[in-house]
Amino acid sequence: MGKTMSEKILARAANQESASAGDILWVNVDMAMMDDILGPRVEIAEKMLDIKDEVWYRDKVVIISDHYTPPANINQAEIVKFTREWAASHGIENYYEFAGPCHQVMAENGHVLPGTIVLGTDSHTCMGGSLGAFASGIGSTEMLGILLTGKTWLRVPETIQVKWDGILPDGVMAKDISLKTIGEIGHSGATYKAVEYIGDTIKSLSLDERMAITNMAVEMGAKAGLMEADEKVKQYLRKHGITKDYTCFSSDADATYCATYTFQAEKLAPVVACPHEVDNVTEVTNVKNIQIHQAYIGSCTGGRYSDLEAAARILSGKKIKRGTRLLVSPASQEVWIRANKEGILETLIEAGATIMAPSCGVCVGLHSGLLASGENCISSTNRNFLGRMGSKESNIYLASPLVVAASAVTGIITDPRDLL
């Protein structure tokens, strides 16, 4: 019987010839990531990890301060300081600060490789599946065990196959693929399962676009979201100077899936996830004319170069609607620098956008753009939960950067095809 990508990767990590869905495996972890919000500051880690020699292979540990940077208050500043000092005192050289959201930083710096196990204290660690890794979020207590031993247990998940074929129409983006898929499967429809994305639509997408899809696999409850590592993945790694050895896995033709979903890209229109659930998805034409007070393009889901470039297509030569705020946070320093050099940021600024530091702050409602009561925000981020970005009396609509940019121009939720 054939095996899925997840079964193959987990078997390798457990030093077994094979594994099947449902097996409980004791696996070697290839890379462990902690952020400032759920990393060393957690009390149990503070108490138990106070000796340098206790930390497992330090070169396999990555710590990224991204949620509280730049700090908005003294408490946040103290947490970032503690995280910085903890990393230094424990000999963790892979420490990043003000570099951008952790998942983007992990990918750009070669900490996510095909065929590896990547675990992090952030639920959207699953973004690493776009590079062919089994990447998943874990709790801080589980991370403590990994820091001490380099191992953890995992149950091999069943796999849902999601197939997208065809060419995306103009005005439609990978974010629309992600939201449409979540809307069909539901917010808990993939709980503790792996979601494997296949099809010629997926193959045609850039790594930027693929990352936007795997990033949100957890919004279906998935343990991991995976895509086969192809030549585009290898080119991405070479471009970032990554020369480490790795093994690419793909599912066998006769692998077993617990469910299969098939979609045609040509039939996809721009969609929006309405408050307060990510699977509350509808076509943008069904929610047109809802007033928008804030538009946000950024985060580990929707702030990469291709996202900023798409927004610039809409905003070039236009101005955002008076009374509407457009905030833009590039997904990393690398993205910020490239978009600046190529004039993308200038286009956005001239349209009235405010460019901010690469950070998680707005997405998770910690700083730099919180919502007041009664305000509506349209965002390229990954969650629209009640109170996520500020007041519990505000509303968040999730959409592609094209929809966000178009809505900023008109001041109401807008189909980008009307402006392209």
Side-chain angles (χ1 to χ4, degrees), residues 106-127:
M106 288 285 288
E108 291 176 353
N109 289 277
H111 301 310
V112 181
L113 296 176
T116 60
I117 302 289
V118 180
L119 302 178
T121 57
D122 188 281
S123 57
H124 294 101
T125 300
C126 54
M127 191 186 93

Side-chain angles (χ1 to χ4, degrees), residues 62-288:
V62 182
I63 302 177
I64 303 170
S65 288
D66 57 354
H67 286 67
Y68 292 133
T69 55
N73 53 51
I74 295 173
N75 182 56
Q76 291 182 7
E78 292 290 348
I79 290 171
V80 173
K81 177 187 175 186
F82 177 86
T83 306
R84 182 191 309 122
E85 292 177 346
W86 191 95
S89 67
H90 289 79
I92 309 300
E93 295 185 2
N94 295 321
Y95 175 76
Y96 302 88
E97 185 176 320
F98 290 91
C102 53
H103 315 302
Q104 184 73 18
V105 173
M106 288 285 288
E108 291 176 353
N109 289 277
H111 301 310
V112 181
L113 296 176
T116 60
I117 302 289
V118 180
L119 302 178
T121 57
D122 188 281
S123 57
H124 294 101
T125 300
C126 54
M127 191 186 93
S130 60
L131 293 163
F134 186 94
S136 188
I138 60 172
S140 298
T141 305
E142 287 78 11
M143 181 57 72
L144 176 61
I146 292 170
L147 291 177
L148 294 174
T149 68
K151 300 175 181 290
T152 194
W153 70 269
L154 290 171
R155 175 163 59 86
V156 181
E158 295 180 295
T159 297
I160 296 175
Q161 185 184 71
V162 174
K163 185 177 183 182
W164 279 89
D165 284 322
I167 300 172
L168 287 175
D170 194 25
V172 180
M173 298 185 69
K175 181 63 173 288
D176 297 300
I177 289 179
S178 183
L179 292 177
K180 177 66 175 178
T181 303
I182 294 167
E184 290 293 323
I185 295 178
H187 70 273
S188 61
T191 299
Y192 211 103
K193 293 179 173 63
V195 176
E196 185 179 326
Y197 302 89
I198 67 168
D200 54 45
T201 308
I202 302 299
K203 291 180 181 179
S204 70
L205 298 176
S206 67
L207 259 292
D208 273 9
E209 296 168 305
R210 295 180 189 183
M211 289 176 182
I213 297 173
T214 58
N215 179 281
M216 294 186 68
V218 71
E219 307 308 334
M220 299 176 279
K223 187 68 175 175
L226 296 102
M227 295 177 179
E228 183 178 340
D230 58 7
E231 185 58 33
K232 288 184 179 179
V233 171
K234 297 174 184 178
Q235 290 175 357
Y236 179 90
L237 295 173
R238 287 195 296 267
K239 176 184 175 183
H240 287 86
I242 299 160
T243 58
K244 302 175 186 176
D245 292 333
Y246 54 82
T247 302
C248 298
F249 292 96
S250 59
S251 294
D252 295 325
D254 59 343
T256 299
Y257 298 94
C258 62
T260 299
Y261 293 81
T262 302
F263 301 91
Q264 288 300 129
E266 291 91 343
K267 298 180 180 179
L268 185 61
V271 295
V272 173
C274 301
H276 297 286
E277 300 291 345
V278 182
D279 61 354
N280 186 16
V281 177
T282 188
E283 291 190 5
V284 67
T285 53
N286 296 326
V287 289
K288 289 174 68 174

Side-chain angles (χ1 to χ4, degrees), residues 311-358:
R313 284 180 62 199
I314 293 285
L315 293 167
S316 180
K318 302 182 182 69
K319 295 288 185 181
I320 65 173
K321 183 75 171 181
R322 183 177 178 85
T324 301
R325 315 182 288 277
L326 173 58
L327 309 181
V328 177
S329 176
S332 69
Q333 284 186 340
E334 177 183 302
V335 173
W336 205 106
I337 291 169
R338 181 184 175 191
N340 184 52
K341 285 183 177 179
E342 298 188 15
I344 298 296
L345 296 188
E346 183 177 359
T347 297
L348 302 179
I349 291 168
E350 289 178 347
T354 298
I355 311 299
M356 302 184 299

Side-chain angles (χ1 to χ4, degrees), residues 11-80:
R12 179 206 64 83
N15 295 317
Q16 295 186 182
E17 288 189 7
S18 67
S20 300
D23 291 351
I24 304 294
L25 303 181
W26 191 245
V27 301
N28 296 297
V29 178
D30 294 291
M31 196 63 65
M33 185 278 294
M34 294 183 286
D35 53 30
D36 49 358
I37 197 168
L38 288 172
R41 66 175 286 240
V42 177
E43 184 179 10
I44 188 170
E46 290 184 43
K47 288 182 176 179
M48 296 183 68
L49 289 176
D50 56 358
I51 301 174
K52 280 187 181 181
D53 292 339
E54 287 184 343
V55 178
W56 159 74
Y57 301 115
R58 299 186 190 97
D59 63 335
K60 294 186 177 183
V61 177
V62 182
I63 302 177
I64 303 170
S65 288
D66 57 354
H67 286 67
Y68 292 133
T69 55
N73 53 51
I74 295 173
N75 182 56
Q76 291 182 7
E78 292 290 348
I79 290 171
V80 173

Side-chain angles (χ1 to χ4, degrees), residues 171-180 182 209 212-213 215-216 219 268-275 277-288 290 292 294-304 306-308 310-311 314 326-327 363 376-385 389 395-408 412-417:
V172 180
M173 298 185 69
K175 181 63 173 288
D176 297 300
I177 289 179
S178 183
L179 292 177
K180 177 66 175 178
I182 294 167
E209 296 168 305
I213 297 173
N215 179 281
M216 294 186 68
E219 307 308 334
L268 185 61
V271 295
V272 173
C274 301
E277 300 291 345
V278 182
D279 61 354
N280 186 16
V281 177
T282 188
E283 291 190 5
V284 67
T285 53
N286 296 326
V287 289
K288 289 174 68 174
I290 292 177
I292 292 300
Q294 179 167 297
Y296 177 58
I297 298 173
S299 85
C300 60
T301 308
R304 280 173 277 276
S306 62
D307 300 315
L308 306 185
I314 293 285
L326 173 58
L327 309 181
C363 173
N376 295 326
C377 175
I378 191 158
S379 175
S380 68
T381 54
N382 47 41
R383 285 181 175 161
N384 60 350
F385 302 160
M389 296 175 72
N395 295 302
I396 306 166
Y397 297 82
L398 303 179
S400 74
L402 281 174
V403 173
V404 174
S407 302
I412 56 176
I413 295 180
T414 298
D415 188 329
R417 296 172 297 185

